[in-house]
């Protein structure tokens, strides 16, 4: 009963149990009032004015709602629920149209909030199917500004400002709430239809019926004013779930990009691209709205961030995703020998793949070897649901995981495997640009301070600003961030001062001073204590606790014989955890160590944590090391250490019967390690066989 150009309008006004006006719908409160009236445009006649209360599930009205509307929980308790009110709405509108001799109509509302932010989201949550009339409507604010360009901006328009601009009566007290609003809106429309304006309603606002999937190219231009980041999503959320969360707003085609973590799994975030900035601004109003029992945070994002996640350049992927309106399923854990026929046979006839073999996309490494992942296209939701029922069923000797996926996830996974290894190469090592005297302090002189309770977002600049005038008393390269096992800030930092007196003054002046929204504790300590914490130990009122990987008999010096051989200890040099980016020029250059190899022996137990890197990469005065500088610094260190074309990794949770062959098979896909490890350190035959294995990653 709608048309792009209708002879009749249904003027619609509503209110919720919460916020009113410009914040309508921003608090997720339910609809409690609908008022409407049919307007015949050619004859300028109107139908009966209807007012209907709506019974909400939660009848706890806000103070603003009670004050503005005059409604009470007792009165609403006797009303009909939303689904019945919508049925009455359709019946009464049809009756009024018939009386006026009309058959089609378009809604006209006071702005977009009632339709986009209230009716569509609430109907979606309650699994109600809205009629077609709610997918096309006129925004009276926009139409009024088009008719009267000198009036207030669209975002500042209200029913009252429009009435005042036209000189209409604005005494709301004369009528019930909602009735005055609809009558005034009708009067405004008649003024716009007058001979002096002769306004024609021709371009209604539209609400998309469903989210459209599609590919995104890195060459596209994405307006940053149309992108948001949603955080806190359930890990199993699909693009359709996210589109449902933003129901009522128009998401661009292929505009939902689920973000993946370093292991290729979803991290609970998504980037969403909307049709225009107006839709994006409405999406931001849904900050902390709920998806099931979880609230979702919504923030601004940029077009570059969206393209980084969703953009792709592969022709194979573009061809795969060219089939529109397909449901995408991701398969994970496929045997490396699995063929297209094997996958089609696994899925079976109950869930036919779109295009047969053309609807399968195997994810491969750059050299063509399979990764065990694949994407599958299905033409409808029924086939996709049948496929998801096969989650963790067996193919060959492996169980297969199946998940809903998106076009953006296809691009993201393909980009990751085709460009870099799954475990990324760590940054270029850093070396001091000043002479060696400015190394990490040792000894018992209390010329250092410890900062505890830092905000996790705090960086070097924040610490320097926090120190204030005392910044000038910091030793060059004397700011050390303490990182946890995941390489993230732990909330602690150590500062090397020029003297014990300076450290004492800083501790007195800055203790419990605020940084951002947290107070920071500042304690005076020694270089020895600092080194212990940087190596993974703890420092508290009870004294020092050794790092999990160190078991020295005393804290004063490390002169006792090592529990493990010296050549094995060399494998645990801290900088072995910060390798150089692999390059032909630097492949043979040893890394720089910041720990004195001759004075500190490593006492390893094999449940050890890795020590935190002792020097922050953002410390002022440190730069990425050119190959020649790295080699020169290593020569000056005079310690036999492992060259760093790759890195050491530790594996936990291995089956007890795991052998060398299984470990090397696990790391397939990584480049061959160089053959020159033998000349650097003395190794047992078993250790040498590990280092000479045809993989870049060495596991202990």
């Amino acid at each position: 009963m709608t048309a792009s150009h209708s002879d009749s309008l249904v003027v619609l006004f509503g209110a919720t149990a919460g916020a009113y006006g410009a914040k309508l719908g921003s608090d997720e409160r339910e609809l409690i009032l609908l008022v409407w009236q049919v307007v015949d445009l050619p004859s300028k006649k109107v139908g009966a004015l209807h007012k209907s209360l709506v019974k909400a599930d939660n009848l706890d009205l806000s103070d603003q709602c009670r004050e503005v509307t005059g409604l009470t929980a007792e009165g609403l308790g006797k009303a009909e629920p939303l689904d019945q009110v919508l049925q009455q709405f359709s019946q009464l509108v049809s009756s009024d149209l018939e009386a006026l001799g009309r058959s089609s109509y378009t809604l006209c509302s006071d702005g977009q909030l009632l339709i986009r932010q209230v009716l569509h989201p609430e109907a979606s949550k309650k699994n109600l199917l809205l009629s077609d009339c709610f997918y096309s409507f006129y925004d009276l604010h926009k139409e009024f500004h088009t008719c009267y360009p000198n009036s207030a901006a669209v975002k500042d328009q209200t029913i009252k400002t429009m009435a005042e601009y036209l000189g209409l009566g604005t005494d709301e007290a004369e009528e019930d709430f909602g009735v005055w609003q609809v009558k005034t809106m009708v009067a405004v429309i008649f003024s716009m239809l007058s001979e002096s304006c002769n306004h024609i309603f021709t371009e209604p606002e539209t609400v998309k019926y469903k989210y459209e999937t599609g590919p995104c190219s890195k060459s596209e231009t994405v307006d940053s004013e149309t992108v948001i980041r949603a955080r806190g999503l359930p890990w199993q959320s699909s693009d359709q779930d996210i589109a449902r969360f933003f129901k009522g707003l128009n998401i661009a085609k292929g505009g939902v990009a689920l973000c993946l973590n370093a292991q290729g799994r979803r991290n609970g975030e998504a980037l969403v691209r909307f049709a225009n900035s107006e839709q994006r601004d409405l999406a931001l109003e849904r900050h902390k709205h709920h998806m099931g029992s979880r609230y979702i945070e919504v923030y601004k994002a940029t077009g570059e961030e969206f393209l980084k996640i969703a953009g792709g350049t592969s022709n194979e992927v573009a061809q795969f995703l060219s089939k529109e309106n397909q449901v995408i399923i991701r398969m994970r854990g496929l045997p490396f020998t699995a063929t297209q026929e094997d996958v089609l046979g696994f899925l079976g006839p109950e869930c036919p793949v779109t295009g047969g073999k053309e609807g399968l996309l195997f994810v491969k490494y750059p050299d063509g070897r399979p990764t065990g992942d694949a994407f599958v296209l299905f033409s409808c939701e029924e086939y996709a649901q049948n496929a998801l029922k096969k989650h963790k069923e067996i193919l060959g000797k492996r169980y297969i995981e199946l998940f809903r996926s998106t076009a953006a996830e296809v691009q993201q996974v393909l980009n990751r495997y085709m460009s870099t290894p799954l475990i990324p190469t760590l940054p270029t090592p850093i070396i001091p640009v000043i002479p060696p005297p400015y190394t990490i302090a040792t000894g018992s002189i209390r010329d250092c301070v410890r900062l505890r309770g830092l905000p996790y977002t705090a960086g070097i600049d924040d610490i320097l600003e926090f120190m204030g005038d005392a910044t000038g008393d910091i030793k060059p390269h004397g700011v050390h961030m303490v990182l946890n096992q995941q390489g993230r800030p732990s909330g602690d930092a150590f500062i090397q001062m020029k003297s014990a007196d300076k450290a004492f003054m800083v501790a007195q002046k800055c203790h419990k001073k605020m940084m951002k929204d947290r107070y920071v504790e500042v304690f005076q300590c020694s270089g020895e204590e600092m080194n212990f914490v940087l190596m993974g130990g703890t420092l508290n009122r009870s004294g020092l606790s050794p790092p999990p990987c160190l078991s020295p008999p005393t804290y004063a010096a490390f002169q006792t014989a090592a529990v493990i051989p010296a050549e094995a200890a060399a494998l645990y040099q801290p900088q072995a955890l910060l390798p150089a980016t692999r390059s032909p020029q630097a492949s043979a250059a040893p890394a720089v160590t910041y720990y004195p190899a001759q004075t500190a022996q490593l006492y390893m137990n094999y449940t050890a944590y890795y020590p935190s890197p002792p020097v922050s990469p953002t410390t002022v005065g440190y730069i990425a090391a050119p190959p020649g500088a790295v080699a020169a610094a290593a020569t000056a260190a005079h310690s036999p250490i492992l060259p760093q074309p790759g890195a050491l990794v530790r594996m936990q949770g291995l089956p007890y019967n795991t052998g060398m062959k299984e470990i090397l098979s696990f790391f397939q896909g990584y480049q061959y390690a160089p053959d020159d490890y033998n000349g650097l350190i003395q190794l047992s035959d078993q250790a040498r066989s590990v280092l000479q294995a045809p993989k870049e990653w060495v596991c202990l």
Side-chain angles (χ1 to χ4, degrees):
M1 293 182 62
T2 63
S4 59
H5 174 55
S6 302
D7 291 330
S8 300
L9 298 179
V10 175
V11 178
L12 184 67
F13 179 82
T16 70
Y20 171 71
K23 289 295 183 180
L24 184 70
S26 64
D27 52 4
E28 283 190 288
R29 299 303 301 271
E30 296 170 274
L31 189 71
I32 59 171
L33 174 69
L34 272 182
V35 186
W36 69 90
Q37 188 172 30
V38 175
V39 177
D40 181 44
L41 298 180
S43 64
K44 298 184 181 179
K45 294 181 179 179
V46 298
L49 191 147
H50 302 277
K51 177 178 179 179
S52 181
L53 299 181
V54 184
K55 183 179 180 180
D57 295 338
N58 181 5
L59 295 177
D60 182 19
L61 307 183
S62 69
D63 294 339
Q64 183 186 26
C65 175
R66 287 194 295 268
E67 180 181 349
V68 173
T69 66
L71 299 175
T72 63
E74 292 75 13
L76 292 173
K78 302 175 183 178
E80 300 292 340
L82 180 60
D83 57 340
Q84 296 185 26
V85 171
L86 292 177
Q87 290 180 7
Q88 295 174 8
F89 170 83
S90 297
Q91 294 170 0
L92 292 172
V93 167
S94 298
S95 176
D96 291 344
L97 286 173
E98 186 177 352
L100 293 171
R102 302 296 177 186
S103 59
S104 65
Y105 69 94
T106 304
L107 296 178
C108 181
S109 65
D110 173 31
Q112 304 200 28
L113 301 182
L114 176 63
I115 304 294
R116 295 192 185 275
Q117 298 285 70
V118 178
L119 277 168
H120 277 282
E122 185 173 341
S124 177
K125 289 179 181 178
K126 296 182 176 180
N127 293 317
L128 302 179
L129 185 63
L130 292 176
S131 61
D132 291 347
C133 68
F134 291 101
Y135 289 86
S136 177
F137 67 97
Y138 289 108
D139 179 349
L140 186 57
H141 295 174
K142 289 185 177 180
E143 299 294 330
F144 185 83
H145 188 72
T146 301
C147 184
Y148 302 101
N150 294 327
S151 63
V154 173
K155 63 183 180 63
D156 299 324
Q157 295 280 12
T158 64
I159 296 176
K160 190 171 184 178
T161 59
M162 290 187 290
E164 290 175 347
Y165 186 85
L166 296 174
L168 304 176
T170 59
D171 188 3
E172 302 180 39
E174 295 180 0
E175 305 281 358
D176 290 341
F177 179 78
V179 174
W180 177 86
Q181 282 80 359
V182 169
K183 286 184 176 181
T184 304
M185 290 169 69
V186 171
V188 169
I189 291 172
F190 284 159
S191 296
M192 295 166 61
L193 296 175
S194 64
E195 294 182 0
S196 59
C197 297
N198 198 26
H199 182 74
I200 301 176
F201 293 83
T202 56
E203 297 182 5
E205 300 287 320
T206 59
V207 179
K208 287 187 176 182
Y209 283 88
K210 64 178 182 179
Y211 168 66
E212 298 178 273
T213 61
C216 176
S217 171
K218 283 190 179 293
S219 60
E220 287 187 36
T221 300
V222 177
D223 184 1
S224 292
E225 296 300 313
T226 64
V227 183
I228 63 93
R229 179 182 295 273
R231 183 179 297 162
L233 299 166
W235 68 268
Q236 70 272 28
S237 299
S238 67
D239 54 349
Q240 297 297 336
D241 295 322
I242 295 170
R244 185 174 182 180
F245 176 80
F246 289 109
K247 186 68 175 176
L249 306 180
N250 294 338
I251 298 175
K253 183 177 179 180
V256 177
L258 296 166
C259 301
L260 307 181
N261 61 19
Q263 287 72 44
R265 300 177 184 271
R266 297 172 187 172
N267 64 3
E269 295 189 4
L271 293 169
V272 185
R273 177 188 180 190
F274 290 90
N276 52 52
S277 59
E278 182 182 32
Q279 305 289 308
R280 194 282 302 268
D281 292 341
L282 292 175
L284 291 172
E285 293 296 325
R286 299 197 187 182
H287 179 60
K288 292 197 174 181
H289 282 205
H290 288 76
M291 180 184 289
S293 60
R294 303 187 63 168
Y295 72 82
I296 308 301
E297 299 174 349
V298 182
Y299 304 100
K300 291 182 180 180
T302 65
E304 291 77 9
E305 290 176 305
F306 182 83
L307 285 176
K308 184 178 180 181
I309 298 298
T313 57
S314 170
N315 292 331
E316 182 183 13
V317 176
Q319 184 177 359
F320 175 76
L321 297 174
S322 62
K323 303 177 180 64
E324 297 184 357
N325 300 321
Q326 300 290 308
V327 183
I328 305 174
I329 297 296
R330 180 180 179 183
M331 302 180 70
R332 192 165 62 199
L334 292 168
F336 297 135
T337 57
T339 63
Q340 293 177 323
E341 290 77 9
D342 294 332
V343 174
L344 293 175
F346 172 81
L347 295 170
E350 64 272 18
C351 38
V353 177
T354 302
K357 294 181 180 180
E358 294 181 0
L360 295 175
L361 178 64
F362 285 92
V363 183
K364 299 179 180 180
Y365 290 108
D367 60 2
R369 288 178 298 103
T371 65
D373 279 28
F375 293 93
V376 190
L377 295 179
F378 296 99
S379 59
C380 65
E381 187 66 30
E382 179 185 356
Y383 295 157
Q385 287 291 346
N386 290 338
L388 290 172
K389 293 177 182 178
K390 296 180 179 292
H391 180 60
K392 291 197 174 182
E393 288 190 7
I394 302 298
L395 175 59
K397 295 183 179 181
R398 306 188 64 175
Y399 71 83
I400 310 302
E401 298 176 291
L402 289 95
F403 307 96
R404 286 182 174 275
S405 188
T406 67
E409 186 174 17
V410 176
Q411 297 279 24
Q412 203 174 162
V413 172
L414 265 293
N415 290 345
R416 175 168 306 195
Y417 278 107
M418 293 301 293
S419 59
T420 59
L422 183 61
I423 304 176
T425 302
L426 293 173
T428 302
I430 50 179
I431 64 169
V433 295
I434 57 175
Y438 299 102
T439 56
I440 293 179
T442 58
S444 58
I445 300 176
R446 300 175 63 81
D447 58 352
C448 303
V449 291
R450 179 190 184 188
L451 277 58
R452 186 170 67 185
L454 294 169
Y456 294 121
T457 57
I460 300 297
D461 292 339
D462 298 309
I463 293 176
L464 296 180
E465 182 180 352
F466 173 83
M467 299 284 287
D469 297 337
T471 302
D473 298 322
I474 299 175
K475 285 186 178 181
H477 320 295
V479 180
H480 308 274
M481 303 289 288
V482 180
L483 309 180
N484 62 19
Q485 291 172 260
Q486 290 75 40
R488 298 173 182 169
S490 65
D492 280 24
F494 284 90
I495 313 292
Q496 289 180 262
M497 307 303 293
K498 292 181 178 179
S499 67
D501 292 339
K502 300 294 185 183
F504 175 80
M505 294 298 295
V506 169
Q508 292 294 316
K509 180 179 178 181
C510 297
H511 185 56
K512 292 195 175 181
K513 180 180 173 182
M514 299 298 292
M515 180 185 294
K516 298 183 178 179
D517 57 345
R518 301 186 63 174
Y519 74 83
V520 179
E521 297 175 291
V522 183
F523 306 101
Q524 187 178 7
C525 66
S526 67
E528 179 187 33
E529 294 168 337
M530 178 183 72
N531 275 320
F532 263 92
V533 176
L534 293 179
M535 283 292 289
T538 58
L539 173 62
N540 50 42
R541 293 179 180 178
S542 301
L544 287 170
S545 296
C549 61
L550 297 176
S551 303
T554 63
Y555 298 123
F558 307 114
Q559 303 299 334
T560 307
V563 174
I564 60 172
E567 62 268 19
L571 296 176
Y572 287 89
Q573 292 292 334
Q575 284 296 332
L577 304 177
L578 290 175
T581 304
R582 189 180 183 93
S583 63
Q585 294 82 4
S587 61
V592 181
T593 176
Y594 285 98
Y595 290 90
Q598 305 303 322
T599 60
Q601 298 286 348
L602 286 176
Y603 292 79
M604 283 305 242
N605 60 58
Y606 289 96
T607 60
Y609 297 108
Y610 287 130
S612 302
V615 180
S616 170
T618 56
T619 302
V620 179
Y622 282 85
I623 60 171
V630 174
T635 302
H638 300 296
S639 59
I641 56 176
L642 190 67
Q644 301 302 315
L648 300 178
V649 294
R650 176 183 175 215
M651 301 177 70
Q652 288 181 307
L654 291 171
Y656 293 114
N657 59 350
T658 301
M660 189 71 65
K661 182 178 179 181
E662 286 79 12
I663 293 176
L664 297 180
S665 175
F666 178 81
F667 284 106
Q668 68 171 334
Y670 295 93
Q671 300 174 8
Y672 286 85
D675 298 327
D676 56 354
Y677 287 118
N678 302 8
L680 288 168
I681 52 177
Q682 235 177 347
L683 297 174
S684 65
D685 292 338
Q686 183 181 9
R688 183 176 291 105
S689 65
V690 175
L691 294 176
Q692 290 179 333
K695 307 297 167 194
E696 185 176 359
W697 297 89
V698 180
C699 309
L700 297 179

